[in-house]
Amino acid sequence: MKVVIIGGVAGGATAAARLRRLDETAEIVILERTGYVSYANCGLPYYVGGVIRAQDALTLQTPESFRARFNIDVRVGHQALAIHQESHTITVLDLASGTQYVEGYDKLILSPGARAVKPDLPGVDDCRVFTLRTVEDTLRIRSYIESHRPRSAVVVGGGFIGLEGAENLLHAGVATTLLQRSGQVLPPLDWDMAQEVHSYLRGQGLDLRLNAGVQGFQEMDGQFYTLVKDSAPIPSDLVLLAIGVTPESDLAREAGLTLGAKGAIVVNEHMVTSDPDIYAVGDAVELTHFVSGSKALIALAGPANRQGRIAADHICGRESRYAGAQGSSIIKLFHMTAASTGLNEKAAQAAGIPYDKTVTYSASHATYYPGAENMTIKTLFDPSSGRVLGAQIVGFGGVDKRIDVLATAIRARMTAAELTELDLAYAPPYSSAKDPVNMAGYVIENLRNGAISQFHWSDVESIPKDGSVTLLDVRTPQEVAVQGLIRPDAVNIPVDELRDRMGELDPSKPVYVNCYSGLRSYLACRMLGQRGFQCSHLSGGWRFWSYVTTDRTHEAAPTHPCGAEIEE
Amino acid sequence: MKVVIIGGVAGGATAAARLRRLDETAEIVILERTGYVSYANCGLPYYVGGVIRAQDALTLQTPESFRARFNIDVRVGHQALAIHQESHTITVLDLASGTQYVEGYDKLILSPGARAVKPDLPGVDDCRVFTLRTVEDTLRIRSYIESHRPRSAVVVGGGFIGLEGAENLLHAGVATTLLQRSGQVLPPLDWDMAQEVHSYLRGQGLDLRLNAGVQGFQEMDGQFYTLVKDSAPIPSDLVLLAIGVTPESDLAREAGLTLGAKGAIVVNEHMVTSDPDIYAVGDAVELTHFVSGSKALIALAGPANRQGRIAADHICGRESRYAGAQGSSIIKLFHMTAASTGLNEKAAQAAGIPYDKTVTYSASHATYYPGAENMTIKTLFDPSSGRVLGAQIVGFGGVDKRIDVLATAIRARMTAAELTELDLAYAPPYSSAKDPVNMAGYVIENLRNGAISQFHWSDVESIPKDGSVTLLDVRTPQEVAVQGLIRPDAVNIPVDELRDRMGELDPSKPVYVNCYSGLRSYLACRMLGQRGFQCSHLSGGWRFWSYVTTDRTHEAAPTHPCGAEIEE
């Protein structure tokens, strides 16, 4: 059996190694267009910033090491030009020599990846405009930084590559402006969850400009400028274009394979395309989302690796299946971590899936042990079953742990009630006796069984202002004096005085309660509800409302949140 | 309704707060024998060592704050002496005044906890012998350290409190010897997994003595000594006794409530004892183990808190149930983390549950990103279904995340195949595209579907030495030269040369393969198996074998494991 693999990174490299482990006698050829195989593509931004210093850290595997270990014929600098399905052959171009040749296959695996989108804008081909997708791209930027010592950069696009690129440029001492066309960075987050990220990034020295549409690039008076709609041109010594990726499916399209959304290659659960002898894996394929069941494009390394293994298994007669991706993703931004798994509100709405949500604010570990840091968790759930549909977390330490626990719970189709029962490992340096994930479960269960009602930051302005309702703030007067009320018509009664001062409230009026994070307002609602008040509390509290509703464009980030903040 | 709660920490305090949230009108009384309520008992060892410096960090709640927030009558320094079930009353002793009184109840919640075992040994009541269970114990030790400036300490017992106590004594500058009666510390770990912990602790300066039976304490010539069986007496300025805890169930016993294993209080899934008006929660109750279904004593804060909530729910007519604990636990030891969830080998054997196991060695995150640290993972699974039964992890960064992911997977009754499908959040600073949990699943699946056979460190000596089998080491000659072979009769052929040198092996002999961690030996077995060799590989590799079989009593810990170690 002869298997040819087009694309030798992530999915393609995994498929090759797995094939060899299953079949010592197969002939396996990898055709890789770039000069590198099985390189660490997720590490590339960190090489730009010098966080990763040794170039060979990114390219641990070489064609020679791959051949020695796996007896695989790795041809870097070889580009597949055309697939001939009837004859089971491929036309290949050897980029170094310029010669073409024909390679036969019994089974073909396409792992072409996705390419950086380069929009058709004036000046986009200037040598100071870079993209960041391959090792070559990375070396080019690093070399430019070392030779030209740029003092300023513009990054276009606030996805993973744009943000990691911006962090690394700042790390390398380059003043950086990030231009994002929409009103938020990090599409895996909902807009409200992105607000704390924006504030934090600005506090770290990033010149973040939202709703900034780039119109082109131009040299004027010896200075290179990025042209922005409704804004002054922005001078910089280099530009990193990171507005997204698109499936590299030209070869598949030309071969007549079935394509789906955004030109991605359609595959079945064994990663087989519309041609039974051609498989496709990685960023170029259309996936089924595990939670929504919708078709999705998910350009992440984890799914690519799993798919490569599954394609190899199926070629070797094993019955493994790809069960769908849930888009779990995470990014480090200086000391902050932002992560997501499953459905966010945008995705649930697009898929027509009913959901409700909570916003909780929890410490990474016991607050009496040094170093606790708070995190904001937004959890989406099915209102009828309580099944967890998705989660987003923004915080510092311990975010990665909680997103993976939630990703596992979502995979197991757990309900919020089951989150409360999770028996997680607790010691003061690691967690609290009630872990943040347990707490999210408790809050959802309280909502579902009627122990509490909630309202959201987006409801605050539409609550009647005609005196027909009561807005009640149960923080201390000291907190209110420093932080302010969510609306000037709110009254302040600290939760610890509420039992004695309940007579000050009109029991005929609905009460909307808030505190700092949502814990004291919950307690207050329990008190009020039992005395006959119609009552609801602000999910996420003053804190989340404040992040979402305050224009902090020109404000430094607030003090790093400390553990004591939530000892309500 | 009047509810009296005996014991105001963890389970008792949680029950009180939950009761109040559910019922504003209930009369709630907490009787707490010590002077403190709802204190951070898991933080006490860290106060001893000065990691936590402010005493009030441990005692955030006071009787006054509890009363203000929850309208609860908290009586510290009040000890329940007897329960009179017929009359629904308790005899209480006010320790300050010495007066007794009778308190009535409609529902009673017992949350008495467990007490430190103080064995009947000569000299055990000396004022230099301490236990560490209450705030008072903690203040006493801290005060002794500050006033007497001890230069040396003996800790008796290598469980959580003993180890955390020893770490904190060392942190406070006290030379510390830890005496452990059995051959390992940390009972949640199997003996083999504890060996790396022993080695590491010795490297951190702890004088760890295993199989050391303490026989008493004695002052001789002005110096205080701990007397050890078959060993010289050990001088020290203080002794911390931490040989374990026992359920504080005297009151329940005297009241005639049904007790189970080791005198723990028997409860149903609603935490109701044999008296329908008396509940019990926390360290004093007998639990059902979630995985084995066996009865178990699990003295941990997480279960205690959940049980307190469930008792309160049931008293208020809510149908919540306790679904059993799985013993998830974790400990920080200097920079090391050791953690466990579900069944270990000892527990599986005791419960008569069939299991198989794997030992894997994975990096905390992508090795090309700075700071990756390796961890050893032992995973137990059901050989027929593949269901994950338990996991133990010893390592540094990222151990807490993986134990919680595995705890969640065990809770969801996931199989190893489902571990491979977990869609966890990957970026280089946090994980690898195949997370260590995914990898454990892959290895188990390879075992279950016959892609690989394995042997264990404990099998090495019993493999025939008569020349009827081949021991094959596939590391590089350089590694073998430095590290040595697992047996002198092993032959060394590096994995990358194996295809060419297979002729050197006798195909009629079974082959036992090892490498450093188990990855290259797996590859070698795949090559050999396909050429007709009967082949198995050493789970955990030379590294695990070496930790378990080497007497490192007098050896400093090896260099902190670096990421590159497993780039095989």
Side-chain angles (χ1 to χ4, degrees):
Chain A
M1 179 174 62
K2 178 174 177 184
V3 182
V4 175
I5 300 169
I6 298 178
V9 191
T14 299
R18 176 70 175 168
L19 274 170
R20 176 56 73 222
R21 291 197 298 270
L22 296 177
D23 187 349
E24 269 293 306
T25 63
E27 184 183 352
I28 305 171
V29 178
I30 291 178
L31 303 172
E32 166 59 39
R33 186 169 47 181
T34 77
Y36 300 88
V37 69
S38 193
Y39 57 84
N41 45 1
C42 300
L44 301 181
Y46 298 98
Y47 183 75
V48 167
V51 172
I52 298 173
R53 291 180 175 279
Q55 181 188 331
D56 59 7
L58 299 176
T59 53
L60 282 170
Q61 295 284 2
T62 62
E64 295 68 35
S65 73
F66 230 68
R67 184 186 306 265
R69 180 66 50 94
F70 296 108
N71 189 25
I72 285 167
D73 180 0
V74 181
R75 304 180 194 165
V76 296
H78 284 239
Q79 180 176 3
L81 296 177
I83 303 166
H84 315 290
Q85 295 172 258
E86 327 69 45
S87 61
H88 280 54
T89 57
I90 314 161
T91 304
V92 184
L93 170 64
D94 178 345
L95 292 165
S97 68
T99 57
Q100 293 190 15
Y101 61 97
V102 171
E103 190 73 39
Y105 67 84
D106 297 312
K107 300 286 182 185
L108 178 64
I109 301 178
L110 304 178
S111 178
R115 68 169 168 267
V117 172
K118 207 164 176 182
D120 184 22
L121 291 173
V124 75
D125 291 322
D126 189 282
C127 65
R128 288 160 286 194
V129 178
F130 297 88
T131 56
L132 178 49
R133 185 77 193 165
T134 63
V135 174
E136 285 86 348
D137 291 341
T138 310
L139 299 179
R140 207 175 293 131
I141 301 176
R142 183 72 207 164
S143 156
Y144 183 87
I145 290 175
E146 286 172 356
S147 59
H148 289 73
R149 301 275 164 202
R151 298 199 299 183
S152 60
V154 163
V155 175
V156 184
F160 294 122
I161 298 295
L163 287 170
E164 289 174 349
E167 175 183 344
N168 275 283
L169 285 164
L170 283 165
H171 186 263
V174 182
T176 301
T177 300
L178 192 143
L179 305 175
Q180 168 68 8
R181 179 184 299 269
S182 72
Q184 70 163 98
V185 300
L186 279 182
L189 299 182
D190 286 317
W191 179 84
D192 52 7
M193 289 295 288
Q195 298 309 311
E196 188 173 351
V197 176
H198 297 162
S199 175
Y200 176 78
L201 288 172
R202 287 175 173 137
Q204 297 298 313
L206 179 67
D207 177 11
L208 172 63
R209 306 198 190 175
L210 303 171
N211 305 302
V214 172
Q215 297 185 308
F217 309 93
Q218 191 179 330
E219 181 165 322
M220 295 182 280
D221 300 331
Q223 172 68 56
F224 192 61
Y225 287 90
T226 300
L227 311 178
V228 183
K229 186 159 183 281
D230 302 330
S231 167
I234 302 170
S236 73
D237 299 330
L238 79 83
V239 171
L240 175 60
L241 258 190
I243 61 173
V245 295
T246 189
E248 188 82 81
S249 55
D250 293 349
L251 205 58
R253 176 184 295 108
E254 287 157 14
L257 299 180
T258 304
L259 302 185
K262 297 180 184 170
I265 305 170
V266 171
V267 292
N268 68 13
E269 61 191 349
H270 304 299
M271 311 313 296
V272 180
T273 67
S274 53
D275 179 328
D277 289 328
I278 305 181
Y279 294 72
V281 302
D283 295 356
V285 308
E286 183 188 75
L287 302 181
T288 302
H289 195 286
F290 178 80
V291 180
S292 69
S294 305
K295 294 300 176 188
L297 283 185
I298 295 180
L300 292 167
N305 275 275
R306 265 187 289 286
Q307 293 160 22
R309 185 180 172 104
I310 285 163
D313 279 354
H314 195 254
I315 287 172
C316 295
R318 290 177 177 247
E319 260 304 294
S320 69
R321 291 158 194 272
Y322 190 64
Q326 63 194 66
S328 304
S329 65
I330 190 164
I331 185 170
K332 184 182 90 65
L333 298 164
F334 304 93
H335 294 294
M336 179 178 260
T337 302
S340 171
T341 184
L343 301 181
N344 60 21
E345 290 196 65
K346 290 173 289 194
Q349 287 162 9
I353 290 176
Y355 70 89
D356 198 356
K357 62 187 172 183
T358 59
V359 176
T360 48
Y361 188 57
S362 299
S364 56
H365 64 246
T367 50
Y368 57 78
Y369 189 88
E373 298 173 305
N374 293 321
M375 64 183 83
T376 305
I377 306 180
K378 181 176 182 176
T379 313
L380 268 63
F381 60 97
D382 176 343
S384 58
S385 68
R387 181 183 163 194
V388 183
L389 300 174
Q392 301 159 57
I393 313 184
V394 172
F396 299 88
V399 168
D400 62 327
K401 174 160 74 174
R402 276 56 181 226
I403 207 71
D404 275 359
V405 168
L406 284 159
T408 304
I410 288 171
R411 201 74 187 180
R413 300 177 195 277
M414 280 187 173
T415 62
E418 289 170 311
L419 292 189
T420 71
E421 293 174 357
L422 287 179
D423 193 349
L424 304 170
Y426 162 57
Y430 303 101
S431 183
S432 301
K434 289 172 188 155
D435 187 86
V437 175
N438 296 137
M439 286 302 296
Y442 281 128
V443 171
I444 294 170
E445 277 306 283
N446 282 333
L447 280 171
R448 293 190 64 245
N449 63 30
I452 188 76
S453 297
Q454 68 181 5
F455 64 102
H456 293 285
W457 63 266
S458 51
D459 301 319
V460 170
E461 278 308 304
S462 58
I463 294 170
K465 295 173 181 170
D466 57 3
S468 61
V469 306
T470 303
L471 264 67
L472 173 66
D473 191 317
V474 297
R475 289 175 292 168
T476 63
Q478 293 77 16
E479 289 173 276
V480 171
V482 171
Q483 298 166 343
L485 297 164
I486 62 168
R487 253 176 43 183
D489 51 340
V491 298
N492 177 220
I493 303 178
V495 66
D496 288 347
E497 299 175 15
L498 185 57
R499 283 187 187 88
D500 294 334
R501 295 175 59 185
M502 215 171 276
E504 298 174 25
L505 302 175
D506 181 344
S508 71
K509 293 181 181 175
V511 186
Y512 293 84
V513 189
N514 80 274
C515 65
Y516 179 77
S517 78
L519 178 54
R520 285 172 292 181
S521 57
Y522 160 57
L523 299 177
C525 271
R526 292 300 308 160
M527 294 179 202
L528 290 163
Q530 293 183 57
R531 301 296 177 93
F533 284 83
Q534 183 192 327
C535 191
S536 62
H537 86 130
L538 177 59
S539 185
W542 176 88
R543 185 182 179 281
F544 194 64
W545 170 88
S546 166
Y547 265 111
V548 176
T549 58
T550 308
D551 179 5
R552 297 169 183 263
T553 310
H554 302 294
E555 187 184 323
T559 312
H560 197 287
C562 71
E565 246 185 357
I566 62 154
E567 279 305 323
E568 304 210 352
Chain B
M1 181 174 61
K2 179 175 176 184
V3 183
V4 175
I5 300 169
I6 298 178
V9 192
T14 300
R18 177 69 174 168
L19 274 170
R20 176 57 73 225
R21 292 197 297 271
L22 296 176
D23 187 349
E24 270 291 305
T25 63
E27 183 182 350
I28 304 172
V29 179
I30 291 179
L31 303 173
E32 167 59 39
R33 186 168 49 182
T34 77
Y36 300 88
V37 68
S38 193
Y39 57 84
N41 46 359
C42 299
L44 301 182
Y46 298 97
Y47 183 75
V48 168
V51 173
I52 298 174
R53 292 180 174 276
Q55 181 188 331
D56 59 7
L58 299 176
T59 53
L60 282 169
Q61 293 285 1
T62 63
E64 295 68 37
S65 74
F66 230 67
R67 185 189 303 268
R69 180 67 48 94
F70 296 108
N71 188 26
I72 286 168
D73 180 0
V74 181
R75 303 180 195 164
V76 296
H78 284 238
Q79 181 177 1
L81 296 179
I83 302 167
H84 315 292
Q85 294 171 260
E86 329 70 45
S87 60
H88 279 56
T89 57
I90 315 162
T91 304
V92 184
L93 171 64
D94 178 344
L95 293 165
S97 68
T99 57
Q100 292 189 17
Y101 62 95
V102 171
E103 190 74 39
Y105 67 83
D106 296 313
K107 300 287 182 185
L108 178 65
I109 300 177
L110 304 178
S111 178
R115 65 168 170 269
V117 172
K118 209 165 175 182
D120 185 22
L121 291 173
V124 74
D125 291 323
D126 189 281
C127 64
R128 287 159 288 195
V129 179
F130 298 87
T131 56
L132 178 49
R133 185 77 193 165
T134 63
V135 174
E136 283 87 348
D137 291 342
T138 311
L139 298 180
R140 207 176 291 131
I141 302 176
R142 183 73 206 162
S143 157
Y144 184 87
I145 290 175
E146 285 172 358
S147 58
H148 289 73
R149 302 275 162 202
R151 296 198 299 185
S152 60
V154 164
V155 175
V156 185
F160 293 121
I161 298 295
L163 288 169
E164 289 174 347
E167 175 183 343
N168 275 282
L169 286 164
L170 283 164
H171 186 265
V174 181
T176 301
T177 300
L178 191 144
L179 305 176
Q180 168 69 7
R181 179 183 299 269
S182 72
Q184 70 164 98
V185 300
L186 277 182
L189 298 183
D190 285 318
W191 180 85
D192 52 7
M193 289 294 288
Q195 299 309 312
E196 188 173 350
V197 177
H198 298 161
S199 176
Y200 176 78
L201 289 173
R202 287 176 173 135
Q204 296 300 311
L206 179 67
D207 177 11
L208 172 63
R209 306 198 191 174
L210 302 170
N211 305 303
V214 172
Q215 297 185 309
F217 308 93
Q218 191 179 330
E219 182 165 320
M220 295 183 280
D221 300 332
Q223 172 68 57
F224 192 61
Y225 286 90
T226 300
L227 310 177
V228 183
K229 186 158 184 280
D230 302 329
S231 168
I234 303 170
S236 74
D237 300 329
L238 79 84
V239 171
L240 174 61
L241 260 190
I243 61 173
V245 295
T246 187
E248 187 83 80
S249 55
D250 293 348
L251 205 58
R253 177 185 294 109
E254 288 157 15
L257 298 180
T258 305
L259 303 186
K262 297 181 184 170
I265 305 170
V266 171
V267 292
N268 68 12
E269 63 190 348
H270 304 299
M271 311 313 297
V272 180
T273 67
S274 53
D275 178 328
D277 288 329
I278 305 181
Y279 294 73
V281 302
D283 295 357
V285 307
E286 184 189 74
L287 302 181
T288 302
H289 195 286
F290 179 79
V291 180
S292 69
S294 304
K295 294 300 175 188
L297 282 186
I298 296 180
L300 292 168
N305 274 274
R306 264 187 289 287
Q307 293 161 21
R309 185 180 170 104
I310 286 164
D313 279 354
H314 195 253
I315 287 173
C316 296
R318 290 176 177 247
E319 261 303 294
S320 68
R321 291 158 196 273
Y322 190 64
Q326 65 194 65
S328 304
S329 65
I330 189 164
I331 185 170
K332 183 183 91 66
L333 299 164
F334 304 94
H335 294 296
M336 178 177 263
T337 303
S340 170
T341 185
L343 300 181
N344 59 21
E345 291 197 63
K346 291 173 288 193
Q349 288 162 8
I353 291 176
Y355 69 89
D356 198 356
K357 62 188 173 183
T358 59
V359 176
T360 49
Y361 189 57
S362 299
S364 56
H365 64 245
T367 51
Y368 56 78
Y369 188 87
E373 298 173 305
N374 292 323
M375 65 184 83
T376 306
I377 306 180
K378 181 175 182 176
T379 313
L380 268 64
F381 60 96
D382 176 344
S384 59
S385 68
R387 181 183 162 193
V388 183
L389 301 174
Q392 301 158 58
I393 313 183
V394 172
F396 298 88
V399 168
D400 62 326
K401 174 160 73 175
R402 277 54 181 227
I403 207 70
D404 275 359
V405 168
L406 283 159
T408 305
I410 288 171
R411 201 76 188 179
R413 300 177 194 278
M414 280 186 173
T415 63
E418 290 170 310
L419 292 189
T420 70
E421 293 175 357
L422 287 180
D423 192 348
L424 303 171
Y426 163 56
Y430 302 101
S431 184
S432 300
K434 288 173 188 154
D435 187 85
V437 174
N438 297 137
M439 286 302 296
Y442 281 128
V443 171
I444 294 171
E445 276 307 283
N446 282 335
L447 280 171
R448 293 189 65 243
N449 65 30
I452 188 77
S453 298
Q454 67 181 6
F455 64 103
H456 293 285
W457 64 266
S458 51
D459 302 320
V460 169
E461 277 309 304
S462 59
I463 294 170
K465 296 173 181 170
D466 58 3
S468 62
V469 306
T470 303
L471 265 65
L472 173 65
D473 191 317
V474 296
R475 290 175 292 167
T476 64
Q478 295 74 19
E479 289 173 276
V480 170
V482 171
Q483 296 166 345
L485 296 165
I486 62 168
R487 255 178 40 185
D489 52 340
V491 298
N492 176 221
I493 302 177
V495 66
D496 288 349
E497 298 175 15
L498 184 58
R499 283 189 187 86
D500 293 337
R501 295 176 57 185
M502 216 171 277
E504 298 174 26
L505 302 175
D506 181 343
S508 71
K509 294 180 181 175
V511 185
Y512 293 83
V513 189
N514 80 274
C515 64
Y516 179 77
S517 77
L519 179 54
R520 284 171 294 179
S521 57
Y522 160 58
L523 298 178
C525 269
R526 292 299 310 158
M527 293 179 202
L528 290 162
Q530 293 182 57
R531 300 295 177 94
F533 284 83
Q534 183 192 328
C535 192
S536 61
H537 87 130
L538 178 59
S539 184
W542 176 89
R543 184 181 180 283
F544 195 62
W545 170 88
S546 165
Y547 266 111
V548 176
T549 59
T550 308
D551 179 6
R552 296 170 183 261
T553 311
H554 302 293
E555 184 184 325
T559 313
H560 195 288
C562 73
E565 246 186 358
I566 62 157
E567 279 306 323
E568 301 209 358

